[in-house]
Amino acid sequence: MATPLDGRTIAMLATDGVEQVELTSPREALEDAGATVHLIAPHDGTIRGWNHTDWGDTFDVDVPLPKARPEDYDALVLPGGVLNPDQLRINDDAVAFARSFFEADKPVAAIC
Protein backbone atom coordinates (compact mmCIF):
# COMPACT_ATOMS: atom_id res chain seq x y z
CA MET A 1 0.00 0.00 0.00
CA ALA A 2 1.38 3.37 -1.02
CA THR A 3 2.01 6.04 1.57
CA PRO A 4 1.77 9.82 0.99
CA LEU A 5 5.50 10.43 0.59
CA ASP A 6 6.60 7.28 -1.22
CA GLY A 7 9.46 8.09 -3.56
CA ARG A 8 10.17 11.48 -1.97
CA THR A 9 13.55 12.38 -0.54
CA ILE A 10 13.68 15.02 2.16
CA ALA A 11 16.73 17.01 3.26
CA MET A 12 16.98 17.69 6.99
CA LEU A 13 19.61 20.37 7.63
CA ALA A 14 21.06 20.44 11.14
CA THR A 15 24.27 20.82 13.12
CA ASP A 16 25.56 20.27 16.62
CA GLY A 17 23.11 21.56 19.20
CA VAL A 18 19.93 20.80 17.26
CA GLU A 19 17.04 20.28 19.67
CA GLN A 20 16.95 16.50 19.62
CA VAL A 21 13.18 15.99 19.63
CA GLU A 22 12.82 18.53 16.81
CA LEU A 23 15.06 16.33 14.69
CA THR A 24 13.85 12.88 15.74
CA SER A 25 10.07 13.36 15.75
CA PRO A 26 9.74 15.00 12.31
CA ARG A 27 12.22 12.53 10.84
CA GLU A 28 10.22 9.60 12.19
CA ALA A 29 6.94 11.06 10.92
CA LEU A 30 8.38 11.64 7.44
CA GLU A 31 9.83 8.13 7.28
CA ASP A 32 6.52 6.66 8.51
CA ALA A 33 4.84 8.50 5.63
CA GLY A 34 7.21 6.84 3.17
CA ALA A 35 9.89 9.48 2.66
CA THR A 36 13.62 8.92 2.62
CA VAL A 37 15.22 11.47 4.93
CA HIS A 38 18.86 12.51 4.68
CA LEU A 39 20.49 14.32 7.58
CA ILE A 40 22.71 17.02 6.11
CA ALA A 41 25.23 18.86 8.27
CA PRO A 42 28.08 21.29 7.67
CA HIS A 43 30.55 18.49 8.41
CA ASP A 44 30.64 14.74 7.97
CA GLY A 45 30.57 12.15 10.75
CA THR A 46 28.01 12.87 13.45
CA ILE A 47 26.20 15.77 15.05
CA ARG A 48 25.14 15.95 18.66
CA GLY A 49 21.65 16.85 19.75
CA TRP A 50 20.59 19.03 22.64
CA ASN A 51 18.09 17.29 24.90
CA HIS A 52 16.15 19.96 26.82
CA THR A 53 18.91 21.15 29.20
CA ASP A 54 21.96 19.08 28.32
CA TRP A 55 23.76 17.39 25.45
CA GLY A 56 21.85 14.45 24.00
CA ASP A 57 22.42 11.71 21.47
CA THR A 58 24.64 11.74 18.42
CA PHE A 59 23.24 11.30 14.92
CA ASP A 60 25.00 10.08 11.81
CA VAL A 61 25.30 12.63 9.02
CA ASP A 62 24.06 11.14 5.76
CA VAL A 63 25.44 13.85 3.48
CA PRO A 64 27.92 16.57 4.40
CA LEU A 65 26.68 19.97 3.26
CA PRO A 66 29.50 20.55 0.73
CA LYS A 67 28.35 17.41 -1.11
CA ALA A 68 24.58 18.00 -0.80
CA ARG A 69 22.77 18.90 -4.02
CA PRO A 70 19.41 20.65 -3.52
CA GLU A 71 18.12 19.22 -6.80
CA ASP A 72 18.31 15.73 -5.22
CA TYR A 73 15.63 16.64 -2.67
CA ASP A 74 11.89 17.25 -2.81
CA ALA A 75 11.68 19.33 0.37
CA LEU A 76 13.75 20.75 3.23
CA VAL A 77 13.20 20.48 7.00
CA LEU A 78 15.02 22.83 9.36
CA PRO A 79 14.80 21.53 12.94
CA GLY A 80 15.15 24.11 15.67
CA GLY A 81 16.47 24.70 19.11
CA VAL A 82 18.68 27.64 19.92
CA LEU A 83 22.09 26.45 18.76
CA ASN A 84 21.06 24.90 15.44
CA PRO A 85 19.57 27.94 13.70
CA ASP A 86 22.15 30.27 15.23
CA GLN A 87 24.96 28.19 13.75
CA LEU A 88 23.32 27.60 10.38
CA ARG A 89 22.32 31.21 9.72
CA ILE A 90 25.97 32.30 9.81
CA ASN A 91 27.08 29.47 7.52
CA ASP A 92 26.99 30.78 3.94
CA ASP A 93 26.71 27.26 2.48
CA ALA A 94 23.73 26.44 4.73
CA VAL A 95 21.98 29.68 3.80
CA ALA A 96 22.57 29.07 0.09
CA PHE A 97 21.32 25.48 0.41
CA ALA A 98 18.11 26.62 2.13
CA ARG A 99 17.60 29.51 -0.29
CA SER A 100 17.73 27.13 -3.24
CA PHE A 101 14.57 25.38 -2.01
CA PHE A 102 12.68 28.67 -1.94
CA GLU A 103 13.96 29.59 -5.39
CA ALA A 104 12.80 26.22 -6.73
CA ASP A 105 9.39 26.58 -5.04
CA LYS A 106 9.96 23.41 -3.01
CA PRO A 107 8.40 22.97 0.45
CA VAL A 108 10.43 24.17 3.44
CA ALA A 109 9.44 23.36 7.02
CA ALA A 110 11.03 25.16 9.96
CA ILE A 111 10.47 23.61 13.36
CA CYS A 112 10.08 25.94 16.36
Side-chain angles (χ1 to χ4, degrees):
M1 182 172 172
T3 57
L5 296 179
D6 279 346
R8 304 291 184 176
T9 304
I10 310 299
M12 183 170 273
L13 181 59
T15 193
D16 293 301
V18 63
E19 185 65 42
Q20 188 164 308
V21 70
E22 294 181 17
L23 182 147
T24 58
S25 292
R27 185 178 201 169
E28 182 179 331
L30 289 165
E31 289 172 344
D32 287 349
T36 298
V37 180
H38 290 169
L39 178 57
I40 298 170
H43 55 80
D44 59 359
T46 61
I47 62 169
R48 194 162 184 197
W50 186 258
N51 192 14
H52 302 292
T53 59
D54 205 352
W55 289 105
D57 298 333
T58 58
F59 301 92
D60 291 333
V61 173
D62 296 307
V63 182
L65 184 57
K67 294 182 179 179
R69 297 169 14 113
E71 58 271 18
D72 293 341
Y73 298 97
D74 298 296
L76 172 65
V77 176
L78 299 164
V82 174
L83 299 174
N84 191 58
D86 276 355
Q87 293 301 311
L88 293 177
R89 71 182 171 84
I90 60 173
N91 180 313
D92 291 338
D93 292 335
V95 172
F97 186 78
R99 181 178 288 125
S100 68
F101 285 82
F102 289 99
E103 291 170 350
D105 289 325
K106 292 181 180 180
V108 176
I111 311 297
C112 194

